[in-house]
PDB file of all heavy atoms in Angstrom:
ATOM      1  N   HIS A 102       5.255   7.948 -13.247  1.00  0.00           N
ATOM      2  CA  HIS A 102       4.067   7.871 -12.396  1.00  0.00           C
ATOM      3  C   HIS A 102       3.898   6.491 -11.744  1.00  0.00           C
ATOM      4  O   HIS A 102       3.397   6.388 -10.624  1.00  0.00           O
ATOM      5  CB  HIS A 102       2.813   8.253 -13.189  1.00  0.00           C
ATOM      6  CG  HIS A 102       2.752   9.717 -13.497  1.00  0.00           C
ATOM      7  ND1 HIS A 102       3.214  10.230 -14.681  1.00  0.00           N
ATOM      8  CD2 HIS A 102       2.312  10.763 -12.772  1.00  0.00           C
ATOM      9  CE1 HIS A 102       3.048  11.541 -14.677  1.00  0.00           C
ATOM     10  NE2 HIS A 102       2.502  11.892 -13.520  1.00  0.00           N
ATOM     11  N   LEU A 103       4.340   5.427 -12.438  1.00  0.00           N
ATOM     12  CA  LEU A 103       4.271   4.102 -11.827  1.00  0.00           C
ATOM     13  C   LEU A 103       5.249   4.006 -10.653  1.00  0.00           C
ATOM     14  O   LEU A 103       4.938   3.375  -9.634  1.00  0.00           O
ATOM     15  CB  LEU A 103       4.548   3.006 -12.852  1.00  0.00           C
ATOM     16  CG  LEU A 103       3.543   2.872 -13.997  1.00  0.00           C
ATOM     17  CD1 LEU A 103       3.837   1.614 -14.811  1.00  0.00           C
ATOM     18  CD2 LEU A 103       2.101   2.884 -13.528  1.00  0.00           C
ATOM     19  N   VAL A 104       6.400   4.632 -10.780  1.00  0.00           N
ATOM     20  CA  VAL A 104       7.372   4.660  -9.677  1.00  0.00           C
ATOM     21  C   VAL A 104       6.770   5.407  -8.485  1.00  0.00           C
ATOM     22  O   VAL A 104       6.878   4.960  -7.331  1.00  0.00           O
ATOM     23  CB  VAL A 104       8.707   5.282 -10.124  1.00  0.00           C
ATOM     24  CG1 VAL A 104       9.620   5.542  -8.943  1.00  0.00           C
ATOM     25  CG2 VAL A 104       9.395   4.367 -11.136  1.00  0.00           C
ATOM     26  N   GLU A 105       6.108   6.527  -8.748  1.00  0.00           N
ATOM     27  CA  GLU A 105       5.440   7.269  -7.672  1.00  0.00           C
ATOM     28  C   GLU A 105       4.370   6.395  -7.006  1.00  0.00           C
ATOM     29  O   GLU A 105       4.238   6.380  -5.777  1.00  0.00           O
ATOM     30  CB  GLU A 105       4.790   8.542  -8.223  1.00  0.00           C
ATOM     31  CG  GLU A 105       5.768   9.612  -8.634  1.00  0.00           C
ATOM     32  CD  GLU A 105       5.092  10.784  -9.344  1.00  0.00           C
ATOM     33  OE1 GLU A 105       3.842  10.832  -9.403  1.00  0.00           O
ATOM     34  OE2 GLU A 105       5.831  11.638  -9.862  1.00  0.00           O
ATOM     35  N   GLN A 106       3.601   5.682  -7.822  1.00  0.00           N
ATOM     36  CA  GLN A 106       2.560   4.806  -7.289  1.00  0.00           C
ATOM     37  C   GLN A 106       3.172   3.714  -6.419  1.00  0.00           C
ATOM     38  O   GLN A 106       2.657   3.416  -5.331  1.00  0.00           O
ATOM     39  CB  GLN A 106       1.754   4.169  -8.422  1.00  0.00           C
ATOM     40  CG  GLN A 106       0.703   3.199  -7.927  1.00  0.00           C
ATOM     41  CD  GLN A 106       0.049   2.412  -9.043  1.00  0.00           C
ATOM     42  OE1 GLN A 106       0.613   2.263 -10.126  1.00  0.00           O
ATOM     43  NE2 GLN A 106      -1.140   1.902  -8.793  1.00  0.00           N
ATOM     44  N   ALA A 107       4.249   3.106  -6.887  1.00  0.00           N
ATOM     45  CA  ALA A 107       4.893   2.032  -6.123  1.00  0.00           C
ATOM     46  C   ALA A 107       5.318   2.529  -4.746  1.00  0.00           C
ATOM     47  O   ALA A 107       5.120   1.839  -3.739  1.00  0.00           O
ATOM     48  CB  ALA A 107       6.085   1.476  -6.899  1.00  0.00           C
ATOM     49  N   LYS A 108       5.851   3.732  -4.687  1.00  0.00           N
ATOM     50  CA  LYS A 108       6.248   4.319  -3.393  1.00  0.00           C
ATOM     51  C   LYS A 108       5.021   4.589  -2.529  1.00  0.00           C
ATOM     52  O   LYS A 108       5.002   4.254  -1.343  1.00  0.00           O
ATOM     53  CB  LYS A 108       7.044   5.603  -3.614  1.00  0.00           C
ATOM     54  CG  LYS A 108       8.419   5.361  -4.173  1.00  0.00           C
ATOM     55  CD  LYS A 108       9.155   6.658  -4.431  1.00  0.00           C
ATOM     56  CE  LYS A 108      10.474   6.381  -5.113  1.00  0.00           C
ATOM     57  NZ  LYS A 108      11.124   7.592  -5.584  1.00  0.00           N
ATOM     58  N   ARG A 109       4.008   5.183  -3.120  1.00  0.00           N
ATOM     59  CA  ARG A 109       2.778   5.526  -2.399  1.00  0.00           C
ATOM     60  C   ARG A 109       2.090   4.277  -1.834  1.00  0.00           C
ATOM     61  O   ARG A 109       1.605   4.269  -0.703  1.00  0.00           O
ATOM     62  CB  ARG A 109       1.843   6.260  -3.363  1.00  0.00           C
ATOM     63  CG  ARG A 109       0.482   6.628  -2.805  1.00  0.00           C
ATOM     64  CD  ARG A 109      -0.385   7.326  -3.852  1.00  0.00           C
ATOM     65  NE  ARG A 109      -0.875   6.405  -4.870  1.00  0.00           N
ATOM     66  CZ  ARG A 109      -0.702   6.562  -6.176  1.00  0.00           C
ATOM     67  NH1 ARG A 109      -0.049   7.599  -6.661  1.00  0.00           N
ATOM     68  NH2 ARG A 109      -1.184   5.678  -7.031  1.00  0.00           N
ATOM     69  N   ALA A 110       2.064   3.214  -2.626  1.00  0.00           N
ATOM     70  CA  ALA A 110       1.319   2.009  -2.261  1.00  0.00           C
ATOM     71  C   ALA A 110       2.157   0.980  -1.507  1.00  0.00           C
ATOM     72  O   ALA A 110       1.621  -0.009  -1.022  1.00  0.00           O
ATOM     73  CB  ALA A 110       0.742   1.373  -3.523  1.00  0.00           C
ATOM     74  N   GLY A 111       3.470   1.205  -1.436  1.00  0.00           N
ATOM     75  CA  GLY A 111       4.329   0.248  -0.748  1.00  0.00           C
ATOM     76  C   GLY A 111       4.612  -1.001  -1.561  1.00  0.00           C
ATOM     77  O   GLY A 111       4.822  -2.074  -0.999  1.00  0.00           O
ATOM     78  N   PHE A 112       4.651  -0.869  -2.897  1.00  0.00           N
ATOM     79  CA  PHE A 112       4.981  -2.021  -3.742  1.00  0.00           C
ATOM     80  C   PHE A 112       6.475  -2.300  -3.620  1.00  0.00           C
ATOM     81  O   PHE A 112       7.297  -1.490  -4.066  1.00  0.00           O
ATOM     82  CB  PHE A 112       4.664  -1.749  -5.217  1.00  0.00           C
ATOM     83  CG  PHE A 112       3.213  -1.549  -5.556  1.00  0.00           C
ATOM     84  CD1 PHE A 112       2.865  -1.041  -6.801  1.00  0.00           C
ATOM     85  CD2 PHE A 112       2.194  -1.870  -4.681  1.00  0.00           C
ATOM     86  CE1 PHE A 112       1.537  -0.851  -7.157  1.00  0.00           C
ATOM     87  CE2 PHE A 112       0.856  -1.680  -5.020  1.00  0.00           C
ATOM     88  CZ  PHE A 112       0.527  -1.173  -6.265  1.00  0.00           C
ATOM     89  N   ALA A 113       6.841  -3.437  -3.073  1.00  0.00           N
ATOM     90  CA  ALA A 113       8.247  -3.834  -3.003  1.00  0.00           C
ATOM     91  C   ALA A 113       8.596  -4.768  -4.158  1.00  0.00           C
ATOM     92  O   ALA A 113       9.751  -5.132  -4.329  1.00  0.00           O
ATOM     93  CB  ALA A 113       8.528  -4.515  -1.666  1.00  0.00           C
ATOM     94  N   PHE A 114       7.608  -5.152  -4.934  1.00  0.00           N
ATOM     95  CA  PHE A 114       7.813  -6.054  -6.066  1.00  0.00           C
ATOM     96  C   PHE A 114       8.171  -5.264  -7.318  1.00  0.00           C
ATOM     97  O   PHE A 114       7.911  -4.060  -7.401  1.00  0.00           O
ATOM     98  CB  PHE A 114       6.561  -6.903  -6.305  1.00  0.00           C
ATOM     99  CG  PHE A 114       5.274  -6.131  -6.432  1.00  0.00           C
ATOM    100  CD1 PHE A 114       4.898  -5.519  -7.628  1.00  0.00           C
ATOM    101  CD2 PHE A 114       4.414  -6.018  -5.339  1.00  0.00           C
ATOM    102  CE1 PHE A 114       3.701  -4.830  -7.734  1.00  0.00           C
ATOM    103  CE2 PHE A 114       3.211  -5.338  -5.436  1.00  0.00           C
ATOM    104  CZ  PHE A 114       2.866  -4.737  -6.635  1.00  0.00           C
ATOM    105  N   PRO A 115       8.773  -5.918  -8.322  1.00  0.00           N
ATOM    106  CA  PRO A 115       9.080  -5.227  -9.572  1.00  0.00           C
ATOM    107  C   PRO A 115       7.802  -4.763 -10.269  1.00  0.00           C
ATOM    108  O   PRO A 115       6.828  -5.509 -10.356  1.00  0.00           O
ATOM    109  CB  PRO A 115       9.784  -6.284 -10.431  1.00  0.00           C
ATOM    110  CG  PRO A 115      10.129  -7.401  -9.518  1.00  0.00           C
ATOM    111  CD  PRO A 115       9.219  -7.310  -8.336  1.00  0.00           C
ATOM    112  N   TYR A 116       7.842  -3.536 -10.748  1.00  0.00           N
ATOM    113  CA  TYR A 116       6.729  -2.951 -11.506  1.00  0.00           C
ATOM    114  C   TYR A 116       7.294  -2.652 -12.871  1.00  0.00           C
ATOM    115  O   TYR A 116       8.209  -1.841 -13.013  1.00  0.00           O
ATOM    116  CB  TYR A 116       6.267  -1.685 -10.797  1.00  0.00           C
ATOM    117  CG  TYR A 116       4.856  -1.208 -11.100  1.00  0.00           C
ATOM    118  CD1 TYR A 116       4.326  -0.163 -10.360  1.00  0.00           C
ATOM    119  CD2 TYR A 116       4.061  -1.749 -12.101  1.00  0.00           C
ATOM    120  CE1 TYR A 116       3.044   0.332 -10.596  1.00  0.00           C
ATOM    121  CE2 TYR A 116       2.784  -1.283 -12.337  1.00  0.00           C
ATOM    122  CZ  TYR A 116       2.285  -0.240 -11.578  1.00  0.00           C
ATOM    123  OH  TYR A 116       1.017   0.242 -11.829  1.00  0.00           O
ATOM    124  N   VAL A 117       6.800  -3.334 -13.880  1.00  0.00           N
ATOM    125  CA  VAL A 117       7.384  -3.263 -15.215  1.00  0.00           C
ATOM    126  C   VAL A 117       6.421  -2.629 -16.216  1.00  0.00           C
ATOM    127  O   VAL A 117       5.216  -2.536 -15.976  1.00  0.00           O
ATOM    128  CB  VAL A 117       7.816  -4.667 -15.706  1.00  0.00           C
ATOM    129  CG1 VAL A 117       8.873  -5.252 -14.772  1.00  0.00           C
ATOM    130  CG2 VAL A 117       6.634  -5.617 -15.829  1.00  0.00           C
ATOM    131  N   MET A 118       6.987  -2.219 -17.332  1.00  0.00           N
ATOM    132  CA  MET A 118       6.233  -1.578 -18.406  1.00  0.00           C
ATOM    133  C   MET A 118       6.071  -2.562 -19.572  1.00  0.00           C
ATOM    134  O   MET A 118       7.013  -3.276 -19.910  1.00  0.00           O
ATOM    135  CB  MET A 118       6.982  -0.341 -18.919  1.00  0.00           C
ATOM    136  CG  MET A 118       7.316   0.694 -17.857  1.00  0.00           C
ATOM    137  SD  MET A 118       5.900   1.599 -17.263  1.00  0.00           S
ATOM    138  CE  MET A 118       5.397   2.463 -18.755  1.00  0.00           C
ATOM    139  N   ASP A 119       4.898  -2.552 -20.162  1.00  0.00           N
ATOM    140  CA  ASP A 119       4.573  -3.396 -21.322  1.00  0.00           C
ATOM    141  C   ASP A 119       4.227  -2.461 -22.483  1.00  0.00           C
ATOM    142  O   ASP A 119       3.065  -2.350 -22.870  1.00  0.00           O
ATOM    143  CB  ASP A 119       3.399  -4.310 -20.941  1.00  0.00           C
ATOM    144  CG  ASP A 119       2.911  -5.209 -22.065  1.00  0.00           C
ATOM    145  OD1 ASP A 119       3.671  -5.454 -23.024  1.00  0.00           O
ATOM    146  OD2 ASP A 119       1.753  -5.671 -21.978  1.00  0.00           O
ATOM    147  N   PRO A 120       5.232  -1.769 -23.047  1.00  0.00           N
ATOM    148  CA  PRO A 120       4.947  -0.721 -24.034  1.00  0.00           C
ATOM    149  C   PRO A 120       4.296  -1.214 -25.323  1.00  0.00           C
ATOM    150  O   PRO A 120       3.541  -0.482 -25.950  1.00  0.00           O
ATOM    151  CB  PRO A 120       6.312  -0.091 -24.305  1.00  0.00           C
ATOM    152  CG  PRO A 120       7.308  -1.132 -23.915  1.00  0.00           C
ATOM    153  CD  PRO A 120       6.664  -1.920 -22.800  1.00  0.00           C
TER     154      PRO A 120
END
Side-chain angles (χ1 to χ4, degrees):
H102 288 95
L103 296 188
V104 170
E105 289 172 7
Q106 177 189 22
K108 289 178 185 170
R109 177 181 73 235
F112 295 167
F114 52 81
Y116 201 172
V117 299
M118 304 288 296
D119 178 21

